[in-house]
Amino acid sequence: MIQDIAPHRLRNEFIPWKTASAESRCFVFRGREALIRIEDGMAKLPLRREFPAEAEAIYLFSVDETEYFLIRDSFVPEGCVYKTVHALRNDGNMDSLLTFAMFTAQQLAGWYNDNVFCGTCGSRTVLGEVERSIICPKCGRIIYPRIAPAVIVGVTNGDKILLTKYRARLYSYYALIAGFTEIGESFEGTVEREVMEEAGLHVKNIRYYKSQPWGIADNILSGYFCDVDGDPTIHLDTDELKVGKWTAREDVILQPDELSLTNEMMKVFKEGREPR
């Protein structure tokens, strides 16, 4: 999965005194697009020395000894272009470390950009100095990075699993039931509700599998397997999904890369290794 970068290690401690060197790698985002250059067919990040001296470089995190910074500036260094993160992922232009770093950096960049002004009083905010936070100096509001919990659900019916396809997505791969956890709801409650809403099925024997950070959508994903309880007839939510079908282990078609929790859970079921 995307976070499986071992033996490399993410270090995401808040270190406010970190400053960028001339050779530090810098992320610049424009919405869902990232600023990169292509060298020998692979995406590379621009370096700090390529930007104006007055452009602020915010320390984000490091992977091993490589430090990553965020620059919020419209300057585009020579040879760099904006490209969507989705396209970079699908085109195979990024190695696994840069893919993970970009997903994580995009989440933080969105948080910084969305909170330039206080949502309570409208005043301009400042960056926190003792923890990763954004502070309103007028009303005192403290804003922390947002993380949206969601579930991925492998619904099984004996040796078959429920595979779906989203109606309004850029890609057309098979996936599993998924959805956001609502206020006041447990993960298990989310599993039961989402399966009922999207497929019209009751479930039982809910068991946890694994979690995954998914920074491109501000998510922390929690994966579960469960068994259909009672009538296995699928009543599909056609506003959300265009395909929903029971699929035998040997017929499961995996996604083209191994980044997602969804794909790993599909692979685990295909190989008969799901938790019982």
Side-chain angles (χ1 to χ4, degrees):
M1 297 192 293
I2 193 169
Q3 75 272 21
D4 295 333
I5 59 173
H8 305 286
R9 181 185 176 192
L10 169 70
R11 299 187 64 90
N12 61 353
E13 302 93 335
F14 177 72
I15 308 176
W17 48 261
K18 284 275 190 184
T19 57
S21 70
E23 302 302 310
S24 293
R25 302 180 192 185
C26 296
F27 284 103
V28 182
F29 294 98
R30 186 177 65 184
R32 292 296 183 182
E33 296 177 316
L35 189 65
I36 54 95
R37 61 165 47 91
I38 300 295
E39 296 180 357
D40 299 323
M42 298 300 291
K44 304 292 184 182
L45 295 179
L47 305 179
R48 176 67 184 93
R49 59 177 165 79
E50 300 180 72
F51 294 90
E54 64 271 17
E56 181 184 18
I58 302 171
Y59 175 70
L60 297 177
F61 52 81
S62 65
V63 177
D64 297 336
E65 301 305 315
T66 302
E67 298 175 349
Y68 294 93
F69 291 79
L70 173 68
I71 289 182
R72 295 183 291 175
D73 191 284
S74 59
F75 180 81
V76 177
E78 183 177 355
C80 290
V81 296
Y82 280 103
K83 195 167 184 179
T84 67
V85 177
H86 184 273
L88 287 167
R89 170 195 173 187
N90 288 350
D91 294 347
N93 292 131
M94 296 192 294
D95 61 32
S96 60
L97 285 182
L98 181 55
T99 302
F100 173 70
M102 185 169 289
F103 272 46
T104 306
Q106 186 176 43
Q107 181 173 3
L108 285 168
W111 172 67
Y112 282 120
N113 291 337
D114 290 346
N115 293 285
V116 174
F117 296 96
C118 176
T120 300
C121 71
S123 300
R124 181 173 285 274
T125 59
V126 297
L127 301 184
E129 296 181 354
V130 298
E131 61 183 347
R132 181 164 281 146
S133 63
I134 295 174
I135 300 171
C136 176
K138 183 175 181 179
C139 72
R141 182 185 181 195
I142 302 176
I143 307 163
Y144 296 103
R146 63 182 183 273
I147 300 175
V151 298
I152 304 294
V153 190
V155 186
T156 63
N157 181 19
D159 284 331
K160 296 182 179 180
I161 191 169
L162 177 58
L163 296 186
T164 66
K165 285 188 178 182
Y166 291 105
R167 177 162 298 281
R169 294 290 177 92
L170 294 174
Y171 57 86
S172 59
Y173 313 135
Y174 283 105
L176 303 176
I177 295 288
F180 291 99
T181 299
E182 301 292 346
I183 291 173
E185 190 173 55
S186 67
F187 284 127
E188 292 81 3
T190 307
V191 169
E192 294 175 334
R193 177 180 54 78
E194 286 292 343
V195 176
M196 175 54 66
E197 288 179 354
E198 296 190 7
L201 299 170
H202 292 284
V203 296
K204 62 183 179 181
N205 191 23
I206 299 170
R207 61 262 190 206
Y208 174 75
Y209 172 66
K210 191 181 286 188
S211 64
Q212 175 177 49
W214 195 250
I216 198 170
D218 302 328
N219 291 152
I220 177 69
L221 304 176
S222 188
Y224 291 87
F225 284 95
C226 59
D227 304 325
V228 67
D229 185 12
D231 186 0
T233 303
I234 299 168
H235 300 281
L236 202 65
D237 175 4
T238 55
D239 290 332
E240 180 82 10
L241 304 172
K242 63 181 178 181
V243 174
K245 63 177 184 177
W246 293 114
T247 305
R249 295 185 192 274
E250 63 271 18
D251 297 327
V252 171
I253 299 175
L254 301 176
Q255 296 175 357
D257 60 45
E258 297 188 352
L259 296 180
S260 72
L261 175 61
T262 296
N263 187 73
E264 180 170 304
M265 290 175 64
M266 290 165 56
K267 183 177 181 179
V268 163
F269 181 81
K270 184 180 181 73
E271 296 173 354
R273 297 186 290 109
E274 75 275 15
R276 303 292 180 174

